């Protein structure tokens, strides 16, 4: 049996949809499973035991209908028995239709009856799947294939022992002491309306360092150096001494090897946090005021993985506001998300995940 799973992009979605691959290999253990992803996302799925092959594509494959048609011809030669379209947009629906796969599963959209043989509604039952609706909706795509859906599956990232050793070597080269607590900071969101104000983030880091004496690594890319520096400059002198601001990973895979050695990861919700969770690193997540926390609070138990949202503390700000309006007011709402609101939960996260390392490092 040959299976094709499509999750064209983004990084977080590519990682999240690996649980579909896990379920498919449980249901069809002898199947050959290919995963179609945007090329730069392959770093997240390397060595994944449920994925037998990667089909790496670029945005040019989907920008025009001619690109989709050309790609479909290549796929048709592989003679897939089953296709699951987890991306669910017009271009991947067309690709699904033209792929020649005998069974094609996708979400209910206006074009679904044309593209797929099986259609599911993107509404997971919260009584069955209680956390991370983004995961629940993906598992629904496997429901036409089995009555034994493993709703507990979570995304995982797999590193080799050699990669972990390389990550440790890199940290030593940065003069980081692995006998002391080390924390990755998702210091910036993917854009401004997903980024806690710099002065607020600095206060969070000040409290965190005072409580843990942790060394801090900032997750950013060279083009964001100015913004990362602005957060650094807003921190206290004590906190600045703990930040290795010039130490950043040159690639996604390098970042993963580094995070695997961290005591925890904290900061803005996004790809870095999701990668940390997939490596089973304790995570303290700060959600943007306009993002639906129920969709992305993956694997949370309020201990090892804990998240905070403005709505948790000031629910009246959200009375009768539709999602589009929340997004438009994100910057204004962020001003209401003062650090003191989350300090109690931050302290609880520290107690659960840093007490033992703080004691052993003294």
């Amino acid at each position: 049996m040959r299976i094709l799973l499509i999750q064209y992009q983004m990084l977080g979605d590519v990682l999240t949809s690996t649980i579909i691959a896990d379920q498919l290999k449980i249901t069809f253990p002898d199947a050959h499973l290919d995963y179609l992803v945007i090329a730069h996302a392959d770093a997240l799925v390397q060595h994944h035991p449920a994925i037998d092959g990667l089909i790496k594509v670029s945005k040019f494959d989907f920008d025009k209908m001619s690109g989709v048609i050309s790609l479909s011809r290549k796929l048709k030669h592989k003679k897939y028995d089953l296709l699951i379209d987890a991306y669910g947009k017009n271009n991947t629906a067309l690709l699904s239709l033209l792929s020649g796969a005998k069974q094609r599963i996708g979400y209910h959209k206006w074009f679904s009856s044309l593209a797929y043989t099986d259609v599911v509604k993107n509404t997971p039952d919260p009584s069955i799947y209680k956390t991370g609706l983004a995961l629940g909706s993906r598992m629904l795509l496997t429901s036409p294939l089995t009555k034994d859906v493993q709703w507990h599956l979570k995304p995982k990232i797999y590193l080799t022992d050699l990669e972990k050793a390389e990550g440790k070597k890199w940290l030593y080269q940065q003069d980081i002491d692995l006998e002391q607590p080390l924390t990755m900071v998702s210091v910036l969101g993917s854009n401004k309306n997903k980024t806690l104000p710099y002065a607020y983030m600095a206060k969070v880091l000040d409290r965190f360092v005072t409580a843990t004496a942790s060394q801090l690594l900032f997750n950013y890319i060279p083009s964001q150096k100015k913004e990362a520096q602005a957060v650094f400059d807003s921190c206290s002198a004590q906190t600045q001494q703990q930040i290795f601001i010039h130490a950043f990973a040159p690639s996604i895979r390098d970042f993963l090897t580094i995070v695997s050695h961290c005591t925890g990861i904290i900061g803005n919700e996004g790809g870095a946090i999701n990668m940390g969770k997939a490596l089973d690193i304790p995570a303290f997540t700060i959600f943007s005021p306009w993002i639906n926390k129920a969709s992305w609070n993956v694997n949370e138990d309020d201990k090892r993985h804990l998240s905070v949202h403005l709505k948790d503390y000031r629910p009246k700000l959200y009375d009768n506001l539709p999602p589009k309006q929340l997004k438009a007011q994100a910057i204004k709402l962020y001003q209401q998300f003062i650090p003191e609101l989350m300090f109690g939960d931050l302290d609880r996260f520290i107690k659960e995940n840093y007490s033992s390392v703080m004691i052993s490092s003294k």
Side-chain angles (χ1 to χ4, degrees):
M1 183 179 189
R2 296 186 65 85
I3 303 174
L4 177 63
L5 172 60
I6 299 175
Q7 179 62 72
Y8 169 45
Q9 57 180 356
M10 305 285 289
L11 289 177
D13 293 316
V14 168
L15 175 59
T16 302
S17 290
T18 57
I19 61 171
I20 300 174
D22 289 324
Q23 176 68 63
L24 290 170
K25 275 304 179 81
I26 292 170
T27 307
F28 308 110
D30 297 324
H32 177 95
L33 190 149
D34 289 334
Y35 195 13
L36 188 151
V37 299
I38 192 75
H40 65 269
D42 70 337
L44 302 178
V45 296
Q46 288 177 25
H47 310 300
H48 197 291
I51 298 170
D52 300 300
L54 284 177
I55 298 176
K56 294 182 278 189
V57 298
S58 73
K59 64 177 183 178
F60 301 108
D61 291 307
F62 287 102
D63 274 353
K64 296 180 180 180
M65 185 176 293
S66 60
V68 175
I69 293 172
S70 177
L71 179 58
S72 71
R73 288 172 179 163
K74 297 175 185 177
L75 297 179
K76 201 166 186 177
H77 286 300
K78 294 180 179 289
K79 297 181 179 180
Y80 290 109
D81 301 288
L82 170 64
L83 180 150
I84 294 183
D85 180 9
Y87 190 57
K89 300 293 176 64
N90 295 5
N91 49 16
T92 53
L94 177 61
L95 182 65
S96 301
L97 177 64
L98 298 176
S99 69
K102 298 173 185 177
Q103 185 176 10
R104 304 179 302 278
I105 303 173
Y107 293 121
H108 177 72
K109 301 281 183 70
W110 67 266
F111 49 75
S112 299
S113 61
L114 298 173
Y116 312 119
T117 61
D118 298 84
V119 176
V120 300
K121 291 187 176 180
N122 190 1
T123 52
D125 183 349
S127 67
I128 298 174
Y129 200 91
K130 300 181 184 300
T131 180
L133 295 179
L135 299 187
S137 64
R138 283 167 170 80
M139 296 308 292
L140 280 176
L141 288 169
T142 69
S143 60
L145 304 169
T146 178
K147 294 182 179 179
D148 189 24
V149 177
Q150 304 294 303
W151 298 101
H152 64 279
L153 291 173
K154 303 294 188 298
K156 293 182 180 179
I157 290 172
Y158 296 85
L159 299 173
T160 66
D161 290 340
L162 178 59
E163 286 177 314
K164 292 177 183 178
E166 287 295 322
K168 181 178 286 189
K169 178 181 177 181
W170 184 90
L171 289 167
Y172 282 131
Q173 290 173 345
Q174 308 305 314
D175 294 326
I176 290 169
D177 183 357
L178 292 180
E179 298 298 318
Q180 303 296 322
L182 175 64
T183 304
M184 181 64 71
V185 182
S186 180
V187 68
L188 303 167
S190 56
N191 51 55
K192 199 166 184 178
N193 64 16
K194 285 188 176 181
T195 301
L196 190 71
Y198 302 161
Y200 288 1
M201 179 61 77
K203 286 187 177 182
V204 171
L205 298 181
D206 286 345
R207 188 176 184 92
F208 185 80
V209 167
T210 298
T212 66
S214 178
Q215 304 160 103
L216 303 182
L217 293 170
F218 277 10
N219 174 47
Y220 68 98
I221 58 178
S223 63
Q224 297 173 318
K225 186 174 181 179
K226 182 179 179 181
E227 291 84 355
Q229 186 68 45
V231 178
F232 177 90
D233 292 342
S234 298
C235 291
S236 70
Q238 176 192 1
T239 301
Q240 289 179 0
Q241 291 176 1
Q242 298 296 107
I243 300 172
F244 292 75
I245 192 169
H246 299 298
F248 56 85
S251 72
I252 295 175
R253 198 71 185 175
D254 291 324
F255 171 78
L256 296 173
T257 67
I258 294 163
V259 173
S260 71
H261 295 288
C262 288
T263 313
I265 181 168
I266 67 173
N268 295 289
E269 184 271 335
I273 293 284
N274 291 327
M275 292 177 207
K277 287 183 179 180
L279 289 166
D280 198 30
I281 303 300
F284 180 81
T285 311
I286 304 170
F287 273 86
S288 170
W290 68 273
I291 296 294
N292 181 8
K293 176 180 170 180
S295 292
W296 292 102
N297 59 341
V298 175
N299 200 22
E300 296 206 351
D301 55 7
D302 279 340
K303 293 181 179 180
R304 188 171 182 82
H305 302 308
L306 189 156
S307 67
V308 293
H309 193 290
L310 178 60
K311 190 176 182 179
D312 296 336
Y313 309 111
R314 294 183 172 173
K316 290 183 179 180
L317 292 173
Y318 289 79
D319 288 348
N320 303 316
L321 284 178
K324 285 186 178 180
Q325 192 171 342
L326 288 173
K327 186 175 182 179
Q329 295 185 15
I331 305 303
K332 183 179 179 181
L333 287 168
Y334 259 133
Q335 297 304 316
Q336 302 292 320
F337 204 174
I338 57 175
E340 289 76 11
L341 292 175
M342 66 182 84
F343 279 173
D345 287 316
L346 179 64
D347 292 346
R348 187 155 53 91
F349 173 78
I350 291 169
K351 182 178 179 181
E352 289 287 346
N353 298 288
Y354 281 77
S355 295
S356 59
V357 292
M358 288 188 294
I359 292 171
S360 63
S361 64
K362 288 181 180 179

